[in-house]
Amino acid sequence: MKTPHPTQLDKQGDDRLRITWSDDTLREYTARELRDACPCATCREKQKAPPPPPTELPILAPGTGGPIQIAAMRPVGSYAYGITFSDGHDTGLFTLELLHELGMKIETDG
């Protein structure tokens, strides 16, 4: 079965994205959900790492303390999107398959 492709992308405020897909599904994504699901090698390693001890204080890089927003989104060929987040992270390629699995399905009338 061929992976559906986006037919429309809409930013919903500062922290949400809606994608209408060619299979007539509508999905909504939060910027935080997408950032946490980043498939780049660095993020995959962080996702697999054990949590730090509760007594360890995290060191935040500049720009990481506020709410996450989608700063830019660009197609990569016909199979993925590169997303730049407000914390400066931009190395993950979100395949259409991954994007179609993520997010919350929105019911539409009709």
Side-chain angles (χ1 to χ4, degrees):
M1 184 173 151
K2 187 177 177 185
T3 301
H5 62 275
T7 58
Q8 186 171 341
L9 288 89
D10 294 303
K11 209 170 169 189
Q12 303 289 307
D14 288 336
D15 68 339
R16 292 188 183 276
L17 171 70
R18 277 195 180 175
I19 299 178
T20 304
W21 293 88
S22 61
D23 64 357
D24 294 325
T25 59
L26 176 63
R27 300 190 80 79
E28 187 169 281
Y29 311 80
T30 65
R32 171 51 61 196
E33 173 191 17
L34 291 170
R35 180 64 178 89
D36 289 347
C38 179
C40 80
T42 301
C43 289
R44 281 195 322 255
E45 286 301 314
K46 286 180 183 177
Q47 292 161 1
K48 291 179 190 176
T55 56
E56 185 177 306
L57 295 175
I59 298 173
L60 300 177
T64 60
I68 293 292
Q69 298 177 359
I70 296 171
M73 195 167 170
R74 68 193 182 294
V76 177
S78 60
Y79 70 96
Y81 280 89
I83 301 176
T84 301
F85 295 95
S86 57
D87 65 357
H89 188 70
D90 66 354
T91 58
L93 291 181
F94 290 79
T95 64
L96 298 183
E97 291 90 354
L98 177 59
L99 284 172
H100 197 262
E101 291 172 11
L102 295 173
M104 180 177 68
K105 187 174 181 181
I106 305 295
E107 297 300 324
T108 59
D109 295 331

